[in-house]
Structure formats: C-alpha cells, structure tokens
Amino acid sequence: MRILHTSDWHLGRTFHRVNMLGAQAEFIGRLVATVRERDVDAVVVAGDVYDRAVPPLAAVELFDDALHRLAELDVPTVMISGNHDSARRLGVAAGLIDRAGIHLRTSASAAGTPVLLSDAHGDVAFYGLPYLEPALVKDEFGVEKAGHETVLAAAMDRVRADLATRPTGTRSVVLAHAFVTGGEPSDSERDISVGGVSSVPAGVFDGVDYVALGHLHGSQTLTDRVRYSGSPLPYSFSEAEHRKSMWLVDLGADGSVDAERIDCPVPRPLARIRGRLDDLLADPDLARHEEAWVEATLTDPVRPAEPMARLCERFPHTLSLVFDPERAPGDPDVSYARRLAGRDDQQIAEDFVAHVRGTGPDEHERTVLRDAFDAVRADETVREVAR
C-alpha cells in the first residue's frame, strides 16, 4: 500500500506578517498532484491542520477545497487533530465526511478503533491518535499521573489490544501528534511540556508497522518505522535549513517500509545573515540572498540609523531585524533578551526567586512552580478548545 504522509499544514498561519494562504494553496495542489501521479493509495495528515482553534474563513475554505479534491480522486484520507486544532471543531460532521473517504479522528476515546483499508495483500489498520493533552484525557485512559508518556502509552495499549484481535498479517499504521525523543524542534512549535517533560520515547510505538508523526516542523527519520513529515512550509527562521517535504511510504505485504521524500513547493527561500550593517550591505557573497526572506542580525556596537530601510534597499524581503551588539565578555550592558535566550519559563522563574531571595527554590518549590505553569498551560488549552 502506498501512503502519502504529511502534517502540520497550519492553514491560516502567517510568516512574520506575510500572508501564506497562497503558498498553502500551492502546497495543496502539489499534494493532490502527487496523489494522482504517484498512484497513492491513502493520505495521512498527522495533525495541526489549522494554526488555531478558530481559524479564519479563508483557511476553512482552503481546507474544504482540499477535502473535495482528495475525495474526487477516490483516495482515502485519514486525519487527526493536533495541539493547534480544536478537536471538537475539526471533528464536526466527521461521521458524514467519513462516507466520502475522509476519516477524521479527533477523539481520544476512538484511539483503539481503526480505519480499515485493504489492498491485494489484506487489511491495513490506521489508528488515529489525536494530540492528547494529558490533563484533559487522563480520566479517559484511567491513568493517575497526567504526563505525555503515560497517556500515549495507554492509547497505544488500546491500539495493540485491538490489533491482536485482527487476522494474522494485518498491517498497522499509527498517526500521532507528539514530541518524540530524538526529534529536533524548531522555534515555531508550541510548547507542550508537562511537568517539565515534553517528549516521549519512540519505544511507546513498538508493535506497529509505521508511525506517521506530526508536531515537529522538520522532516525527520527517528527509526525506519517512525518518521516526522514536518510542515510543508516554513513558519520560523529556525527552519531556514529545512528541506520541506512529504513522505511517500510503500508498506510491503510483510509490513516492510520503503520511504521516499517528495519536495513541497518553496514560495521563497529563507536566509539568516549576521554582521555589521555596512558589511552586510557590501558583502558580495550575500547576493544570493537578495530575493530571499531575510532575518538580519546586526552586531554593530551602536545601533545604526534607519537599519531596516537600508537593509531593504538590498534585501527587499527582509522580515526580521535582530540586534546583538558586539560586547566584551562580562559587559553589564548585555541585553535582557540575550541573557534569557534558550531559557524556559521554569528556569526564568527559578532565577527570579534566587535574585529576590538570595537562594534558589528547593525541590518542593520547584514542583510548585512546575505545577503552576502546567495548570496555566492546560487552562489555556481548555479555553481554546471551548471557543
């Protein structure tokens, strides 16, 4: 069975205020063309169809267009909701849409209920595990500790239990939206950490033939059977080195996996340039970036006059301007933002306690801070889903 694995469309998202809807429509066109030209048997979309719980109308219309075009090809599509989606909104009319061969899996309770598709070698069971927010699904799975690994492991127990009831030789595909250990994150993914832990081990998915992951925006192979497709478009400059693609997966009669990357359309290349303003404007080696979307980091000791206007004369698509002035080590004027770079909310809060009190928090206080951050993030998720 030939499967096209994609994820993280983030329909409705902008890139540094640039409207990406046209580029997203071009990607949908490439996806549909690939399905038609490469004889794809099934499409899987591993979450984050939209960028937010209540997407703009234009994004909903593009999604509707994508569903109609896929249905017209008579190629089954299996989709799950991600942490950016509202599972309830995305799942509206799922039962009716199911009749058109578009299978939306947005409920944790259906984790062990597969979409069964068949080829000449028998059945392939597709299990959809939508993004599982631990605080919201722990009761569904009967786990005491609300953590990513515990709820995902419980969901996979249901998958394996159902698979055990299937005829011998039934192959299996799991769609999941999660941060799996070994994956490389980028700046454009929303933090999903609980208790200071955001990732789960790949071993959670043992026992199935292929795992189609979503959430991380870079295409990655964790094992031959566990892969991220990545987002089809860049959504931060941290993705400047990404090759945006989809996985074309051939699932053999024996469950073997052979995968090929299919490139997505590139609306405009990304470039990150760094140096003093005058040097950036004069460097001939930077000519190749003159038509790229540019993030410029200026290292001038003193902020130059009208830096954005001057940069745009040479790099008209400059979207981000960062100041990181050259300073001697230990210089007290090092910026606050620079001191905080790479530190998460928990570390910043602990540093604040140490600054105010003279000593850092003890283990109990660290737990209190961690629980508070988790509670706020879970509450924000509940509020967003309820909108």
Side-chain angles (χ1 to χ4, degrees):
M1 182 172 286
R2 176 162 286 181
I3 302 163
L4 187 62
H5 166 199
T6 179
S7 73
D8 295 273
W9 294 359
H10 288 279
L11 300 181
R13 187 163 184 163
T14 61
F15 180 71
H16 289 269
R17 300 176 301 281
V18 173
N19 189 321
M20 297 290 278
L21 203 64
Q24 291 168 340
E26 188 176 356
F27 157 69
I28 296 297
R30 175 66 59 83
L31 181 147
V32 171
T34 301
V35 171
R36 183 175 57 249
E37 295 165 5
R38 299 297 300 269
D39 297 322
V40 170
D41 298 305
V43 176
V44 297
V45 185
D48 281 352
V49 173
Y50 293 122
D51 188 56
R52 56 182 186 267
V54 185
L57 178 59
V60 177
E61 290 174 339
L62 180 55
F63 179 58
D64 181 65
D65 177 64
L67 296 188
H68 277 85
R69 295 170 73 179
L70 289 168
E72 287 171 0
L73 293 175
D74 199 26
V75 173
T77 299
V78 184
M79 295 182 169
I80 60 173
S81 51
N83 61 301
H84 280 251
D85 299 309
S86 166
R88 291 170 63 188
R89 286 178 181 272
L90 188 62
V92 168
L96 184 62
I97 296 172
D98 193 83
R99 299 180 186 178
I102 307 294
H103 308 283
L104 294 171
R105 293 294 181 264
T106 63
S107 173
S109 62
T113 305
V115 175
L116 289 176
L117 304 178
S118 301
D119 63 8
H121 306 289
D123 288 343
V124 180
F126 289 78
Y127 297 90
L129 309 186
Y131 172 66
L132 302 174
E133 173 59 46
L136 302 182
V137 302
K138 66 183 182 68
D139 292 339
E140 166 65 34
F141 292 112
V143 298
E144 294 183 4
K145 185 178 179 181
H148 288 293
E149 184 174 352
T150 53
V151 298
L152 198 52
M156 282 302 301
D157 285 344
R158 292 189 184 183
V159 168
R160 284 185 283 265
D162 179 84
L163 194 56
T165 69
R166 303 286 166 185
T168 301
T170 299
R171 290 157 292 163
S172 54
V173 175
V174 166
L175 289 73
H177 196 86
F179 186 173
V180 178
T181 304
E184 287 292 331
S186 62
D187 293 343
S188 53
E189 297 125 8
R190 183 180 295 171
D191 178 31
I192 60 170
S193 59
V194 173
V197 178
S198 59
S199 64
V200 299
V204 165
F205 299 104
D206 286 351
V208 297
D209 293 309
Y210 184 71
V211 181
L213 293 174
H215 180 57
L216 299 186
H217 288 182
S219 178
Q220 301 171 60
T221 300
L222 303 186
T223 74
D224 285 345
R225 297 183 182 276
V226 182
R227 299 172 188 260
Y228 282 101
S229 66
S231 62
L233 295 166
Y235 294 115
S236 73
F237 277 102
S238 65
E239 301 170 49
E241 301 302 319
H242 286 186
R243 173 188 165 194
K244 295 300 183 181
S245 58
M246 304 173 279
W247 284 112
L248 189 66
V249 177
D250 284 325
L251 188 63
D254 59 353
S256 60
V257 171
D258 185 33
E260 173 190 351
R261 289 179 74 177
I262 304 295
D263 289 327
C264 297
V266 179
R268 192 178 294 277
L270 305 186
R272 305 179 101 172
I273 60 178
R274 179 185 180 89
R276 297 192 177 197
L277 178 57
D278 288 342
D279 294 338
L280 297 180
L281 296 178
D283 188 347
D285 288 341
L286 298 182
R288 66 187 188 279
H289 298 317
E290 290 177 355
E291 293 304 316
W293 279 323
V294 169
E295 178 187 73
T297 300
L298 300 185
T299 60
D300 302 69
V302 178
R303 184 174 301 209
E306 300 184 334
M308 181 60 92
R310 293 170 64 189
L311 277 166
C312 286
E313 289 179 2
R314 183 180 187 191
F315 307 102
H317 304 287
T318 301
L319 300 181
S320 176
L321 184 58
V322 180
F323 293 97
D324 187 14
E326 299 167 353
R327 298 191 187 280
D331 188 324
D333 290 331
V334 171
S335 74
Y336 181 67
R338 193 171 176 184
R339 293 200 302 272
L340 296 185
R343 304 182 70 75
D344 60 26
D345 292 341
Q346 177 85 14
Q347 293 169 320
I348 293 169
E350 291 181 12
D351 287 348
F352 176 75
V353 172
H355 173 73
V356 172
R357 195 172 63 186
T359 60
D362 59 26
E363 191 57 40
H364 171 70
E365 291 169 330
R366 289 192 185 94
T367 300
V368 170
L369 285 170
R370 188 162 49 244
D371 290 347
F373 283 122
D374 289 346
V376 169
R377 191 184 53 77
D379 183 64
E380 289 175 345
T381 300
V382 171
R383 289 173 181 272
E384 188 165 315
V385 169
R387 290 175 63 191

Tab-separated table of all heavy atoms in Angstrom, residues 90-136:
chain	number	residue	atom	x	y	z
A	90	LEU	N	-12.809	20.537	14.536
A	90	LEU	CA	-12.341	19.786	13.378
A	90	LEU	C	-13.170	18.525	13.168
A	90	LEU	O	-13.375	18.089	12.029
A	90	LEU	CB	-10.860	19.419	13.551
A	90	LEU	CG	-10.159	18.806	12.344
A	90	LEU	CD1	-10.131	19.779	11.163
A	90	LEU	CD2	-8.733	18.386	12.703
A	91	GLY	N	-13.675	17.959	14.268
A	91	GLY	CA	-14.423	16.711	14.173
A	91	GLY	C	-15.884	16.860	13.838
A	91	GLY	O	-16.589	15.853	13.683
A	92	VAL	N	-16.380	18.107	13.708
A	92	VAL	CA	-17.778	18.314	13.352
A	92	VAL	C	-18.074	17.660	11.997
A	92	VAL	O	-17.307	17.807	11.048
A	92	VAL	CB	-18.112	19.819	13.309
A	92	VAL	CG1	-19.475	20.053	12.653
A	92	VAL	CG2	-18.104	20.406	14.719
A	93	ALA	N	-19.160	16.904	11.929
A	93	ALA	CA	-19.603	16.219	10.704
A	93	ALA	C	-18.653	15.106	10.275
A	93	ALA	O	-18.698	14.657	9.132
A	93	ALA	CB	-19.798	17.211	9.557
A	94	ALA	N	-17.801	14.622	11.200
A	94	ALA	CA	-16.852	13.565	10.840
A	94	ALA	C	-17.563	12.315	10.327
A	94	ALA	O	-17.097	11.665	9.387
A	94	ALA	CB	-15.970	13.227	12.039
A	95	GLY	N	-18.703	11.978	10.959
A	95	GLY	CA	-19.421	10.785	10.521
A	95	GLY	C	-19.914	10.890	9.091
A	95	GLY	O	-19.860	9.926	8.315
A	96	LEU	N	-20.380	12.078	8.720
A	96	LEU	CA	-20.869	12.293	7.357
A	96	LEU	C	-19.713	12.331	6.368
A	96	LEU	O	-19.767	11.705	5.298
A	96	LEU	CB	-21.656	13.608	7.301
A	96	LEU	CG	-22.332	13.946	5.969
A	96	LEU	CD1	-23.361	12.882	5.610
A	96	LEU	CD2	-22.994	15.315	6.055
A	97	ILE	N	-18.637	13.043	6.733
A	97	ILE	CA	-17.466	13.154	5.853
A	97	ILE	C	-16.828	11.785	5.638
A	97	ILE	O	-16.251	11.510	4.584
A	97	ILE	CB	-16.459	14.160	6.448
A	97	ILE	CG1	-17.072	15.562	6.496
A	97	ILE	CG2	-15.162	14.194	5.652
A	97	ILE	CD1	-16.226	16.581	7.240
A	98	ASP	N	-16.947	10.932	6.642
A	98	ASP	CA	-16.380	9.589	6.565
A	98	ASP	C	-16.886	8.836	5.333
A	98	ASP	O	-16.164	8.044	4.720
A	98	ASP	CB	-16.747	8.832	7.842
A	98	ASP	CG	-15.964	7.556	8.024
A	98	ASP	OD1	-14.835	7.637	8.533
A	98	ASP	OD2	-16.491	6.484	7.658
A	99	ARG	N	-18.131	9.114	4.952
A	99	ARG	CA	-18.719	8.417	3.795
A	99	ARG	C	-18.037	8.793	2.486
A	99	ARG	O	-18.116	8.059	1.501
A	99	ARG	CB	-20.207	8.748	3.704
A	99	ARG	CG	-21.015	8.324	4.920
A	99	ARG	CD	-22.481	8.684	4.753
A	99	ARG	NE	-23.260	8.422	5.966
A	99	ARG	CZ	-24.549	8.678	6.088
A	99	ARG	NH1	-25.232	9.170	5.049
A	99	ARG	NH2	-25.164	8.419	7.216
A	100	ALA	N	-17.359	9.942	2.487
A	100	ALA	CA	-16.638	10.381	1.282
A	100	ALA	C	-15.201	9.884	1.274
A	100	ALA	O	-14.422	10.243	0.389
A	100	ALA	CB	-16.655	11.907	1.198
A	101	GLY	N	-14.845	9.068	2.277
A	101	GLY	CA	-13.483	8.533	2.326
A	101	GLY	C	-12.508	9.439	3.050
A	101	GLY	O	-11.287	9.215	2.995
A	102	ILE	N	-13.009	10.469	3.745
A	102	ILE	CA	-12.167	11.358	4.549
A	102	ILE	C	-12.443	11.012	6.009
A	102	ILE	O	-13.528	11.289	6.532
A	102	ILE	CB	-12.481	12.845	4.295
A	102	ILE	CG1	-12.429	13.166	2.791
A	102	ILE	CG2	-11.533	13.731	5.081
A	102	ILE	CD1	-11.060	13.042	2.172
A	103	HIS	N	-11.469	10.434	6.674
A	103	HIS	CA	-11.667	9.894	8.009
A	103	HIS	C	-10.990	10.806	9.036
A	103	HIS	O	-9.764	10.826	9.151
A	103	HIS	CB	-11.117	8.476	8.096
A	103	HIS	CG	-11.627	7.571	7.004
A	103	HIS	ND1	-12.894	7.026	7.032
A	103	HIS	CD2	-11.041	7.155	5.848
A	103	HIS	CE1	-13.069	6.282	5.938
A	103	HIS	NE2	-11.955	6.353	5.204
A	104	LEU	N	-11.791	11.569	9.770
A	104	LEU	CA	-11.280	12.488	10.792
A	104	LEU	C	-11.286	11.777	12.139
A	104	LEU	O	-12.335	11.303	12.590
A	104	LEU	CB	-12.141	13.744	10.857
A	104	LEU	CG	-12.115	14.654	9.612
A	104	LEU	CD1	-13.180	15.737	9.720
A	104	LEU	CD2	-10.739	15.292	9.466
A	105	ARG	N	-10.129	11.729	12.777
A	105	ARG	CA	-10.025	11.104	14.095
A	105	ARG	C	-9.554	12.165	15.084
A	105	ARG	O	-8.387	12.540	15.103
A	105	ARG	CB	-9.045	9.920	14.047
A	105	ARG	CG	-9.558	8.755	13.198
A	105	ARG	CD	-10.801	8.145	13.843
A	105	ARG	NE	-11.339	7.007	13.104
A	105	ARG	CZ	-12.323	7.076	12.239
A	105	ARG	NH1	-12.877	8.250	11.969
A	105	ARG	NH2	-12.783	6.000	11.643
A	106	THR	N	-10.493	12.664	15.894
A	106	THR	CA	-10.209	13.783	16.790
A	106	THR	C	-10.521	13.464	18.246
A	106	THR	O	-10.311	14.319	19.110
A	106	THR	CB	-11.021	15.022	16.367
A	106	THR	OG1	-12.423	14.735	16.488
A	106	THR	CG2	-10.709	15.423	14.932
A	107	SER	N	-11.013	12.269	18.546
A	107	SER	CA	-11.415	11.905	19.899
A	107	SER	C	-10.470	10.870	20.487
A	107	SER	O	-10.162	9.849	19.857
A	107	SER	CB	-12.844	11.353	19.900
A	107	SER	OG	-13.183	10.844	21.170
A	108	ALA	N	-10.027	11.115	21.723
A	108	ALA	CA	-9.142	10.168	22.398
A	108	ALA	C	-9.826	8.819	22.601
A	108	ALA	O	-9.178	7.769	22.588
A	108	ALA	CB	-8.710	10.749	23.742
A	109	SER	N	-11.137	8.834	22.776
A	109	SER	CA	-11.870	7.593	23.052
A	109	SER	C	-11.840	6.619	21.883
A	109	SER	O	-12.090	5.423	22.060
A	109	SER	CB	-13.319	7.906	23.425
A	109	SER	OG	-13.987	8.545	22.356
A	110	ALA	N	-11.536	7.117	20.683
A	110	ALA	CA	-11.523	6.252	19.493
A	110	ALA	C	-10.118	5.764	19.144
A	110	ALA	O	-9.900	5.235	18.053
A	110	ALA	CB	-12.114	7.004	18.305
A	111	ALA	N	-9.175	5.910	20.083
A	111	ALA	CA	-7.780	5.549	19.787
A	111	ALA	C	-7.635	4.104	19.329
A	111	ALA	O	-6.793	3.793	18.480
A	111	ALA	CB	-6.909	5.808	21.013
A	112	GLY	N	-8.432	3.205	19.880
A	112	GLY	CA	-8.308	1.794	19.531
A	112	GLY	C	-9.246	1.337	18.436
A	112	GLY	O	-9.379	0.125	18.192
A	113	THR	N	-9.886	2.284	17.766
A	113	THR	CA	-10.821	1.947	16.682
A	113	THR	C	-10.209	2.372	15.356
A	113	THR	O	-10.147	3.559	15.051
A	113	THR	CB	-12.178	2.649	16.876
A	113	THR	OG1	-12.702	2.319	18.167
A	113	THR	CG2	-13.156	2.225	15.788
A	114	PRO	N	-9.754	1.439	14.537
A	114	PRO	CA	-9.021	1.820	13.325
A	114	PRO	C	-9.919	2.110	12.129
A	114	PRO	O	-11.087	1.723	12.091
A	114	PRO	CB	-8.177	0.578	13.042
A	114	PRO	CG	-9.042	-0.558	13.503
A	114	PRO	CD	-9.768	-0.019	14.734
A	115	VAL	N	-9.340	2.803	11.175
A	115	VAL	CA	-9.885	2.886	9.825
A	115	VAL	C	-9.267	1.723	9.066
A	115	VAL	O	-8.040	1.627	8.965
A	115	VAL	CB	-9.529	4.223	9.151
A	115	VAL	CG1	-10.006	4.238	7.702
A	115	VAL	CG2	-10.103	5.396	9.934
A	116	LEU	N	-10.075	0.827	8.559
A	116	LEU	CA	-9.565	-0.347	7.858
A	116	LEU	C	-9.581	-0.112	6.350
A	116	LEU	O	-10.636	0.157	5.767
A	116	LEU	CB	-10.400	-1.582	8.185
A	116	LEU	CG	-10.249	-2.149	9.602
A	116	LEU	CD1	-11.211	-3.314	9.804
A	116	LEU	CD2	-8.809	-2.597	9.859
A	117	LEU	N	-8.416	-0.175	5.744
A	117	LEU	CA	-8.274	-0.080	4.299
A	117	LEU	C	-7.632	-1.368	3.803
A	117	LEU	O	-6.872	-2.011	4.540
A	117	LEU	CB	-7.412	1.131	3.917
A	117	LEU	CG	-7.892	2.499	4.439
A	117	LEU	CD1	-6.916	3.601	4.023
A	117	LEU	CD2	-9.295	2.816	3.943
A	118	SER	N	-7.908	-1.735	2.571
A	118	SER	CA	-7.417	-3.012	2.058
A	118	SER	C	-6.674	-2.846	0.748
A	118	SER	O	-6.953	-1.936	-0.037
A	118	SER	CB	-8.587	-3.991	1.849
A	118	SER	OG	-9.269	-4.223	3.058
A	119	ASP	N	-5.718	-3.732	0.535
A	119	ASP	CA	-5.063	-3.841	-0.768
A	119	ASP	C	-5.011	-5.322	-1.144
A	119	ASP	O	-5.685	-6.148	-0.511
A	119	ASP	CB	-3.671	-3.196	-0.754
A	119	ASP	CG	-2.696	-3.881	0.205
A	119	ASP	OD1	-3.051	-4.961	0.749
A	119	ASP	OD2	-1.589	-3.358	0.414
A	120	ALA	N	-4.225	-5.658	-2.138
A	120	ALA	CA	-4.190	-7.046	-2.620
A	120	ALA	C	-3.665	-8.013	-1.566
A	120	ALA	O	-3.861	-9.237	-1.688
A	120	ALA	CB	-3.324	-7.129	-3.876
A	121	HIS	N	-2.997	-7.492	-0.537
A	121	HIS	CA	-2.374	-8.358	0.472
A	121	HIS	C	-3.158	-8.403	1.776
A	121	HIS	O	-2.690	-8.989	2.754
A	121	HIS	CB	-0.941	-7.892	0.742
A	121	HIS	CG	-0.115	-7.794	-0.510
A	121	HIS	ND1	0.312	-8.901	-1.209
A	121	HIS	CD2	0.336	-6.707	-1.200
A	121	HIS	CE1	1.002	-8.511	-2.270
A	121	HIS	NE2	1.027	-7.196	-2.287
A	122	GLY	N	-4.310	-7.759	1.838
A	122	GLY	CA	-5.115	-7.800	3.042
A	122	GLY	C	-5.358	-6.427	3.640
A	122	GLY	O	-5.204	-5.394	2.970
A	123	ASP	N	-5.732	-6.411	4.904
A	123	ASP	CA	-6.113	-5.172	5.581
A	123	ASP	C	-4.905	-4.413	6.122
A	123	ASP	O	-3.913	-5.014	6.552
A	123	ASP	CB	-7.057	-5.466	6.750
A	123	ASP	CG	-8.451	-5.869	6.295
A	123	ASP	OD1	-8.783	-5.609	5.118
A	123	ASP	OD2	-9.203	-6.444	7.112
A	124	VAL	N	-5.050	-3.088	6.128
A	124	VAL	CA	-4.137	-2.200	6.847
A	124	VAL	C	-4.997	-1.395	7.816
A	124	VAL	O	-5.954	-0.725	7.396
A	124	VAL	CB	-3.371	-1.259	5.899
A	124	VAL	CG1	-2.436	-0.348	6.707
A	124	VAL	CG2	-2.578	-2.053	4.865
A	125	ALA	N	-4.676	-1.476	9.100
A	125	ALA	CA	-5.437	-0.769	10.138
A	125	ALA	C	-4.751	0.548	10.454
A	125	ALA	O	-3.587	0.566	10.874
A	125	ALA	CB	-5.536	-1.637	11.392
A	126	PHE	N	-5.468	1.658	10.234
A	126	PHE	CA	-4.945	3.001	10.513
A	126	PHE	C	-5.553	3.490	11.831
A	126	PHE	O	-6.776	3.676	11.927
A	126	PHE	CB	-5.309	3.968	9.386
A	126	PHE	CG	-4.568	3.743	8.104
A	126	PHE	CD1	-4.936	2.711	7.244
A	126	PHE	CD2	-3.506	4.557	7.742
A	126	PHE	CE1	-4.256	2.496	6.055
A	126	PHE	CE2	-2.818	4.362	6.551
A	126	PHE	CZ	-3.187	3.328	5.704
A	127	TYR	N	-4.697	3.711	12.826
A	127	TYR	CA	-5.151	4.175	14.137
A	127	TYR	C	-4.789	5.655	14.293
A	127	TYR	O	-3.616	6.036	14.177
A	127	TYR	CB	-4.480	3.376	15.255
A	127	TYR	CG	-4.829	1.906	15.250
A	127	TYR	CD1	-4.057	0.994	14.534
A	127	TYR	CD2	-5.930	1.424	15.965
A	127	TYR	CE1	-4.369	-0.366	14.522
A	127	TYR	CE2	-6.246	0.064	15.963
A	127	TYR	CZ	-5.465	-0.818	15.235
A	127	TYR	OH	-5.784	-2.159	15.227
A	128	GLY	N	-5.801	6.472	14.572
A	128	GLY	CA	-5.571	7.903	14.718
A	128	GLY	C	-5.506	8.319	16.182
A	128	GLY	O	-6.510	8.211	16.903
A	129	LEU	N	-4.331	8.764	16.626
A	129	LEU	CA	-4.164	9.267	17.993
A	129	LEU	C	-4.018	10.782	17.896
A	129	LEU	O	-2.927	11.289	17.621
A	129	LEU	CB	-2.927	8.666	18.664
A	129	LEU	CG	-2.780	7.144	18.635
A	129	LEU	CD1	-1.570	6.721	19.469
A	129	LEU	CD2	-4.041	6.455	19.133
A	130	PRO	N	-5.109	11.517	18.113
A	130	PRO	CA	-5.003	12.973	18.053
A	130	PRO	C	-4.090	13.470	19.169
A	130	PRO	O	-3.697	12.688	20.052
A	130	PRO	CB	-6.449	13.435	18.275
A	130	PRO	CG	-7.075	12.325	19.054
A	130	PRO	CD	-6.439	11.064	18.544
A	131	TYR	N	-3.763	14.756	19.144
A	131	TYR	CA	-2.959	15.303	20.241
A	131	TYR	C	-3.678	15.032	21.554
A	131	TYR	O	-4.852	15.367	21.715
A	131	TYR	CB	-2.730	16.802	20.072
A	131	TYR	CG	-2.079	17.410	21.298
A	131	TYR	CD1	-0.784	17.042	21.654
A	131	TYR	CD2	-2.774	18.297	22.120
A	131	TYR	CE1	-0.183	17.554	22.791
A	131	TYR	CE2	-2.182	18.820	23.250
A	131	TYR	CZ	-0.890	18.449	23.588
A	131	TYR	OH	-0.305	18.957	24.716
A	132	LEU	N	-2.958	14.405	22.492
A	132	LEU	CA	-3.538	14.012	23.768
A	132	LEU	C	-3.011	14.939	24.857
A	132	LEU	O	-1.900	14.745	25.368
A	132	LEU	CB	-3.180	12.550	24.083
A	132	LEU	CG	-3.625	11.516	23.033
A	132	LEU	CD1	-3.086	10.134	23.372
A	132	LEU	CD2	-5.148	11.491	22.904
A	133	GLU	N	-3.792	15.969	25.192
A	133	GLU	CA	-3.420	16.867	26.285
A	133	GLU	C	-3.618	16.101	27.588
A	133	GLU	O	-4.744	15.743	27.954
A	133	GLU	CB	-4.303	18.120	26.252
A	133	GLU	CG	-4.130	19.044	27.441
A	133	GLU	CD	-2.702	19.553	27.589
A	133	GLU	OE1	-2.106	19.982	26.571
A	133	GLU	OE2	-2.191	19.520	28.716
A	134	PRO	N	-2.522	15.800	28.311
A	134	PRO	CA	-2.627	14.897	29.471
A	134	PRO	C	-3.692	15.286	30.481
A	134	PRO	O	-4.431	14.417	30.969
A	134	PRO	CB	-1.216	14.966	30.082
A	134	PRO	CG	-0.320	15.241	28.911
A	134	PRO	CD	-1.113	16.180	28.043
A	135	ALA	N	-3.801	16.567	30.815
A	135	ALA	CA	-4.772	16.985	31.830
A	135	ALA	C	-6.210	16.720	31.396
A	135	ALA	O	-7.093	16.553	32.241
A	135	ALA	CB	-4.586	18.469	32.143
A	136	LEU	N	-6.450	16.666	30.082
A	136	LEU	CA	-7.812	16.509	29.576
A	136	LEU	C	-8.197	15.055	29.307
A	136	LEU	O	-9.384	14.737	29.251
A	136	LEU	CB	-7.991	17.326	28.288
A	136	LEU	CG	-7.727	18.835	28.380
A	136	LEU	CD1	-8.005	19.494	27.046
A	136	LEU	CD2	-8.575	19.461	29.481
